[in-house]
Amino acid sequence: MLRAAFTRFRANLGGIGRKQINIDDYNVVKEGSAKILFEKEETVFYNPIQQFNRDLSVTCIKAWDNLYGSRKGKGKTSLKKVEENDNGEPVAKRQKIERKPYIKILEALSATGLRAIRYAHEIPHVKEIVANDLLPAAVESIERNIEYNGVTDKCRANLDDANVLMYRNKSENKTYNVIDLDPYGTVTPFVDAAMQSIEDNGLMLVTCTDLSVLAGNGYPEKCFALYGGVNMVGHESTHESALRLVLNLLSQTAAKYKKTVEPLLSLSIDFYVRVFIRVKTAPIEVKNLQSKTMITYHCSQCGSYHNQPLGRITEREGKKNPSKIQLKYSVAQGPPVNRKCEFCGGTFHLAGPMYGGPLHNHEFIKEVLRINREEHGDEIYGTRKRIEGMLTLASNEIAEAPFYFSPNHVASILKLQVPALKTVVAGLGSLGYDCSLTHAQPSTLKSNAPWGAIWYVMRECDTNKDLKQKLSKMKSGTPGYKILMNLDEWLKTQTMFDQDKLSFEQNEQSGTVEKLRKLKIVRYQENPTKNWGPKARPK
């Protein structure tokens, strides 16, 4: 019915390509290499704040093309050619290789077609782009803008339900190298169809803007219904748990079709989350999904958290061939906590199930940063500096440390003066633990240190070492009072670190963090306009 309606719709238009476009009837918006025509009375959704999203998406598709897009016999983007310099020494040079266009892109929820048109203009090796939308007014706008931008050879508009389109393509054995899902709200309704429509080793770009559900405090039942897990309600790490819930949804859906998901880049940005994943068919790797899925216990009073994988993998020698390592998959052992928090006696809340593996692929981020630095300019990519800043932080995040903590928040619980970040990092580093900044929130730290070490370092950071004096100024029932009272007893029994090694002298860990903080990069975006935020749904 939708296809028939679109046929009648285009017939009534008389073919946009044969109509003269009167520029005076439209407002022209330029973004990147595209120019978009908007009617004076806006009926189609356009959000200029999302330019960062679109600039980043273009750059990431280019990086995917360079690193993974040539795996099916398309050749490589470049190779090293050895030549000799004036002294007769061999010198490796990069030699460009021309490739035929092969990338097929589906923008399932296109609205104005701006993103699809930018892809057609700015991404090399594009063969076909389908800009789909359910609204006739949107498709009319897409058709008009495709014609106006002169990309009819690469880009075409399509009027259809996104799921119907993808399932129909599956039945016709048609797949896409890149699928971009950028809905208003949750992506959940579109994930299953997209997983069945993407090419092996393809790139999927996914946005969720429903952070009131994914990262809020008021809708745990809706979060579970949509994403199959609960976020870290009331915790400062809730934005990272939002990313991990989305990745878990994608991973669980992919596993049904013997596919695995590799997060290449996962970002919490302003009022939404955006993840870039590589999807590949790998039935053996699907077995690892259980051990990569976790639930999290987080204390409702002090905020300490403990992660519990849902599966475990053990290695053992083969019976017939001892040199061949075999993997055994089994259920996890737990829980990692008691009924009450061992530090403050608070009640634990459960979050998850959610994805527990690395959020980023560092090789991919490195290539994105290279393209952003060497190939892109400010005149086309107006958010280059923010891409550099956010991805620089992401590339330095600790992979094996889910979630983060704020020294400001910890100090407020213990009623201590807030120490400098470099002091906290130096202390944890001296005990043998790693620390990093996070892109998700300013002035917070990711660390693989146990919470006992964090409480200990924070306590020792304070210039006032008189514990009795500190306790005399605190109410006995507060979490901070209980932590300071119980910490010494806990330290006597713990064997995870040597307390005598604690030092606040600057070390490699603190030097790396401080260097990042001093870089003149846009690490976190400021509000660009008044009343800034997500726009209303289009009428």
Side-chain angles (χ1 to χ4, degrees):
M1 293 179 63
L2 281 169
R3 299 182 79 176
F6 189 38
T7 302
R8 293 193 299 271
F9 160 72
R10 294 190 66 174
N12 291 335
L13 285 176
I16 290 181
R18 294 188 296 272
K19 290 180 65 177
Q20 186 68 32
I21 298 176
N22 186 358
I23 302 300
D24 295 335
D25 295 338
Y26 304 96
N27 295 320
V28 180
V29 175
K30 186 179 186 306
E31 182 183 297
S33 299
K35 293 181 179 179
I36 303 300
L37 301 177
F38 284 93
E39 294 181 352
K40 299 292 185 179
E41 181 180 348
E42 183 179 342
T43 58
V44 179
F45 188 84
Y46 170 69
N47 191 351
I49 304 302
Q50 287 276 47
Q51 183 178 355
F52 174 77
N53 186 325
R54 290 182 281 266
D55 286 355
L56 180 61
S57 298
V58 169
T59 315
C60 286
I61 294 175
K62 288 182 178 180
W64 168 85
D65 180 26
N66 292 345
L67 294 175
Y68 313 111
S70 59
R71 296 262 171 113
K72 284 215 165 189
K74 305 294 190 302
K76 296 183 178 180
T77 53
S78 62
L79 56 79
K80 290 184 178 179
K81 181 181 179 182
V82 178
E83 297 179 352
E84 292 185 353
N85 59 17
D86 296 336
N87 298 325
E89 299 171 340
V91 178
K93 292 188 176 181
R94 299 183 71 86
Q95 182 182 33
K96 294 291 182 180
I97 293 179
E98 294 298 327
R99 285 189 290 159
K100 293 181 179 180
Y102 74 96
I103 302 176
K104 293 178 291 182
I105 301 176
L106 170 63
E107 189 190 5
L109 307 143
S110 191
T112 64
L114 170 57
R115 189 186 301 262
I117 291 168
R118 287 196 59 182
Y119 288 170
H121 276 306
E122 300 169 24
I123 298 174
H125 314 130
V126 168
K127 181 179 180 180
E128 177 190 15
I129 301 173
V130 178
N132 179 75
D133 206 279
L134 184 62
L135 300 176
V139 177
E140 180 182 356
S141 173
I142 295 168
E143 284 271 0
R144 179 171 58 245
N145 286 311
I146 289 174
E147 180 77 18
Y148 182 66
N149 282 269
V151 291
T152 54
D153 59 326
K154 297 180 180 179
C155 194
R156 66 178 178 87
N158 188 75
L159 177 67
D160 217 336
D161 178 279
N163 283 328
V164 172
L165 172 64
M166 288 187 282
Y167 283 129
R168 185 188 305 117
N169 287 335
K170 177 184 178 294
S171 68
E172 297 171 355
N173 202 28
K174 179 178 180 180
T175 55
Y176 299 94
N177 303 98
V178 178
I179 295 180
D180 195 329
L181 300 175
D182 192 355
Y184 189 94
T186 180
V187 76
T188 302
F190 310 103
V191 172
D192 186 84
M195 283 296 173
Q196 297 185 67
S197 301
I198 195 163
E199 183 84 14
D200 200 25
N201 271 314
L203 177 68
M204 192 178 294
L205 304 84
V206 177
T207 299
C208 291
T209 61
D210 57 334
L211 286 194
S212 61
V213 174
L214 262 176
N217 299 334
Y219 307 99
E221 76 292 347
K222 190 172 183 180
C223 185
F224 186 85
L226 290 175
Y227 298 98
V230 180
N231 69 312
M232 295 179 73
V233 175
H235 198 278
E236 58 192 347
S237 290
T238 185
H239 285 272
E240 184 171 328
S241 73
L243 284 170
R244 295 185 179 277
L245 284 169
V246 173
L247 290 171
N248 185 62
L249 168 69
L250 297 169
S251 299
Q252 296 286 344
T253 306
K256 294 188 295 183
Y257 305 107
K258 300 179 181 179
K259 297 180 178 180
T260 61
V261 163
E262 179 192 1
L264 300 177
L265 179 63
S266 310
L267 298 176
S268 173
I269 309 166
D270 303 329
F271 54 85
Y272 62 94
V273 294
R274 180 75 160 168
V275 298
F276 303 81
I277 61 172
R278 182 163 66 114
V279 183
K280 58 182 179 180
T281 302
I284 299 299
E285 293 185 25
V286 171
K287 293 183 178 181
N288 298 328
L289 179 59
Q290 181 188 12
S291 60
K292 287 184 178 179
T293 305
M294 69 181 186
I295 56 175
T296 297
Y297 297 82
H298 58 103
C299 179
S300 58
Q301 293 192 26
C302 71
S304 62
Y305 48 80
H306 308 270
N307 301 316
Q308 170 70 67
L310 296 186
R312 60 194 177 109
I313 303 175
T314 53
E315 295 182 352
R316 60 183 181 182
E317 295 180 352
K319 294 181 178 180
K320 295 183 178 180
N321 185 2
S323 63
K324 185 177 181 180
I325 301 299
Q326 294 182 339
L327 300 179
K328 181 183 178 182
Y329 300 88
S330 55
V331 294
Q333 297 177 347
V337 295
N338 296 321
R339 288 182 57 85
K340 298 291 184 178
C341 176
E342 63 180 322
F343 299 109
C344 73
T347 301
F348 282 108
H349 288 172
L350 276 177
M354 65 182 82
Y355 172 78
L359 294 176
H360 317 293
N361 177 306
H362 290 283
E363 179 190 26
F364 181 79
I365 295 180
K366 184 178 179 181
E367 179 64 11
V368 173
L369 287 171
R370 185 197 66 78
I371 293 170
N372 186 66
R373 179 179 62 254
E374 298 178 6
E375 299 180 12
H376 289 177
D378 292 335
E379 65 280 359
I380 300 296
Y381 300 92
T383 63
R384 275 181 68 239
K385 291 182 179 178
R386 189 184 182 191
I387 291 175
E388 179 191 3
M390 182 166 280
L391 267 66
T392 299
L393 286 179
S395 67
N396 283 276
E397 289 181 357
I398 302 174
E400 68 277 8
F403 310 125
Y404 47 84
F405 71 94
S406 166
N408 288 18
H409 178 67
V410 174
S412 69
I413 292 174
L414 299 178
K415 307 302 180 186
L416 305 177
Q417 186 176 354
V418 180
L421 276 182
K422 63 180 179 181
T423 303
V424 179
V425 175
L428 291 173
S430 69
L431 298 178
Y433 299 110
D434 298 326
C435 291
S436 72
L437 299 173
T438 173
H439 77 278
Q441 189 171 326
S443 301
T444 55
L445 294 173
K446 295 174 75 73
S447 178
N448 56 6
W451 269 91
I454 294 173
W455 295 125
Y456 175 59
V457 168
M458 289 295 296
R459 186 189 73 177
E460 296 303 307
C461 280
D462 194 45
T463 53
N464 181 9
K465 303 297 182 181
D466 190 341
L467 181 59
K468 290 184 178 180
Q469 185 182 24
K470 293 177 187 177
L471 294 174
S472 65
K473 297 180 180 179
M474 302 171 69
K475 294 182 179 179
S476 59
T478 61
Y481 181 91
K482 294 178 181 178
I483 291 169
L484 293 176
M485 281 290 292
N486 298 332
L487 189 57
D488 283 330
E489 287 299 317
W490 181 87
L491 290 170
K492 291 177 183 178
T493 59
Q494 69 84 26
T495 58
M496 291 179 284
F497 59 89
D498 185 353
Q499 303 168 47
D500 295 333
K501 291 184 177 180
L502 179 65
S503 169
F504 295 108
E505 294 292 326
Q506 297 306 296
N507 51 35
E508 182 180 354
Q509 291 287 326
S510 60
T512 301
V513 169
E514 195 64 14
K515 182 179 178 181
L516 274 176
R517 298 189 75 207
K518 289 183 177 180
L519 285 178
K520 294 182 179 180
I521 54 178
V522 182
R523 294 183 295 150
Y524 305 98
Q525 194 77 351
E526 297 180 356
N527 292 356
T529 60
K530 288 184 178 180
N531 304 316
W532 172 82
K535 296 183 68 176
R537 185 188 295 270
K539 297 180 180 179

